[in-house]
Amino acid sequence: MANYKIAVIDGDGIGPEIVAQAIKVLKKVQTLSGNTFEFNHVLMGGCAIDKCGEPLPQETIDVCLNSDAVLLGAVGGPKWDTLPGHLRPEKGLLGIRSALGLFANIRPAVLYKPLIDACPLRRDIAEKGIDMVVVRELTGGMYFGERGISEDGKTAYDTEKYSEYEVERIAKIGFEMARNRRKNVISIDKANVLESSRLWRRVVERVAKDYPEITFSNMLVDNAAMQLVKNPAQFDVIITSNIFGDILSDESSMVTGSIGMLPSSSLGSKKLGLFEPIHGSAPDIAGKDIANPIATILSMSMMLRSSIDMPEYAKKIEDAVNTILEQGYRTGDIMSEGKTLVGCEKMGDLISEAIK
Ligand code: IPM
Ligand code: MN
């Protein structure tokens, strides 16, 4: 029997509510498997600013580094929106990604069959199916490049910068992932304008040569934004930069109709990963027990595959989510006529009970 240490960052807004449901699910897995989970709650984001005066206390980094995996709810909210850039809750999130070396952000976007009515696209487009994964570079590019503002505050800049090494390691993750999927990779850049994108393209094309069994193509980011709504079924694995991945993963999640459903993992070169829903802290619905916990619960499934060797339980969690959706239970964000509306806690109960 193994014991796994999980650092838990509840965060702000709906963070604590959805994290509680994910922990509930892991406790059920604990009961069934005999392996144990040790949860260590640490502060990051707005709550850390309030309690410690900074978005990412050193103690949080240390606890995460000493864990097998990190479970994160969401950070941020209007209360902290007027703080200077280096003190914002988001700075905590960027800091922890960088401190843990999590350069690969994996964001699957899947249209669940029982939720086809929630898809905002035309029925004939939705029926072709959506099952793609955005592999987003997470510790480079404009998010971490040199930035500045002139003394008079009238001019500001941010820098997009990538090295061959950074592009190569994220490209490899994408191609490896495609091996176990539909064997198609599309790399997205802006190589007709940006020098950094031309380097990106050159490196990804080189990596592609090592994967002759994978169908590979490049796509410009503006075209990709259009193709994602025109024909999302064409995408299997998308590899892209930090900023383009941020934008396109929101778009790809919403074409499935349910940002409240989609999990993510952030991985580095070690087993330690960070697992969080794609959506934000939704301060407007915080504390009302109406948030959808499924994205966070499915993030636990990703955790049990990537950082903790319990893939059979990852599958059991996914099956339980499917069962509950098929039985017609819905939170408000995915509610449609004739279904049973439940709150955040109840959804967590139903899913954990359905794990067999
Ligand atoms: C995300 C978020 C973050 C990002 C913000 C909160 C810093 O939008 O995880 O996609 O831009 O990476
Ligand atoms: Mn984002």
Side-chain angles (χ1 to χ4, degrees), residues 203-271:
V203 175
V204 180
E205 281 173 351
R206 193 171 69 207
V207 173
K209 293 211 173 77
D210 296 332
Y211 297 85
E213 76 279 23
I214 309 281
T215 310
F216 167 72
S217 55
N218 295 297
M219 196 181 273
L220 293 172
V221 65
D222 47 350
N223 182 31
M226 185 265 277
Q227 296 292 339
L228 274 168
V229 288
K230 187 180 172 213
N231 178 17
Q234 71 185 291
F235 293 99
D236 177 19
V237 175
I238 289 173
I239 302 177
T240 194
S241 64
N242 204 343
I243 184 83
F244 294 159
D246 178 45
I247 299 163
L248 295 177
S249 63
D250 265 35
E251 188 186 359
S252 56
S253 70
M254 199 56 220
V255 300
T256 71
S258 49
I259 195 164
M261 293 285 301
L262 302 179
S264 78
S265 62
S266 301
L267 309 172
S269 51
K270 305 207 181 72
K271 278 204 109 166

Side-chain angles (χ1 to χ4, degrees), residues 27-247:
K27 285 197 170 147
K28 178 66 184 278
V29 169
Q30 172 169 283
T31 309
L32 293 176
S33 68
N35 289 339
T36 51
F37 298 114
E38 181 186 320
F39 300 103
N40 293 306
H41 292 259
V42 284
L43 295 172
M44 192 183 91
C47 55
I49 296 171
D50 289 351
K51 288 206 182 105
C52 317
E54 51 177 333
L56 180 59
Q58 184 61 41
E59 196 206 332
T60 297
I61 300 177
D62 295 341
V63 170
C64 290
L65 281 172
N66 263 309
S67 301
D68 293 293
V70 182
L71 155 59
L72 167 64
V75 297
K79 182 174 172 198
W80 306 281
D81 268 351
T82 51
L83 291 170
H86 68 288
L87 276 179
R88 291 179 59 106
E90 290 81 1
K91 195 71 192 171
L93 186 53
L94 300 183
I96 196 79
R97 288 170 178 168
S98 170
L100 304 185
L102 307 175
F103 64 85
N105 187 208
I106 316 297
R107 300 187 157 184
V110 178
L111 177 59
Y112 287 79
K113 285 261 153 62
L115 297 183
I116 195 158
D117 287 329
C119 178
L121 301 180
R122 246 180 23 228
R123 185 91 191 188
D124 60 305
I125 298 177
E127 272 168 357
K128 285 197 216 153
I130 303 175
D131 181 0
M132 59 188 156
V133 56
V134 178
V135 177
R136 167 190 179 196
E137 198 292 325
L138 200 60
T139 50
M142 215 186 295
Y143 276 65
F144 292 91
E146 190 191 322
R147 72 181 96 245
I149 185 159
S150 64
E151 251 167 52
D152 64 5
K154 289 188 177 165
T155 313
Y157 68 98
D158 300 270
T159 322
E160 177 81 350
K161 184 175 173 187
Y162 270 113
S163 67
E164 292 193 355
Y165 165 73
E166 288 173 302
V167 180
E168 189 176 294
R169 63 180 181 176
I170 190 71
K172 281 184 181 158
I173 300 256
F175 280 96
E176 286 297 327
M177 200 158 276
R179 276 192 160 150
N180 300 318
R181 297 177 47 101
R182 301 196 309 280
K183 301 194 169 36
N184 185 298
V185 166
I186 299 183
S187 171
I188 295 173
D189 61 35
K190 188 70 184 171
N192 53 348
V193 177
L194 304 177
E195 200 59 52
S196 54
S197 277
R198 286 190 278 271
L199 178 136
W200 179 281
R201 190 172 278 213
R202 175 161 53 77
V203 175
V204 180
E205 281 173 351
R206 193 171 69 207
V207 173
K209 293 211 173 77
D210 296 332
Y211 297 85
E213 76 279 23
I214 309 281
T215 310
F216 167 72
S217 55
N218 295 297
M219 196 181 273
L220 293 172
V221 65
D222 47 350
N223 182 31
M226 185 265 277
Q227 296 292 339
L228 274 168
V229 288
K230 187 180 172 213
N231 178 17
Q234 71 185 291
F235 293 99
D236 177 19
V237 175
I238 289 173
I239 302 177
T240 194
S241 64
N242 204 343
I243 184 83
F244 294 159
D246 178 45
I247 299 163

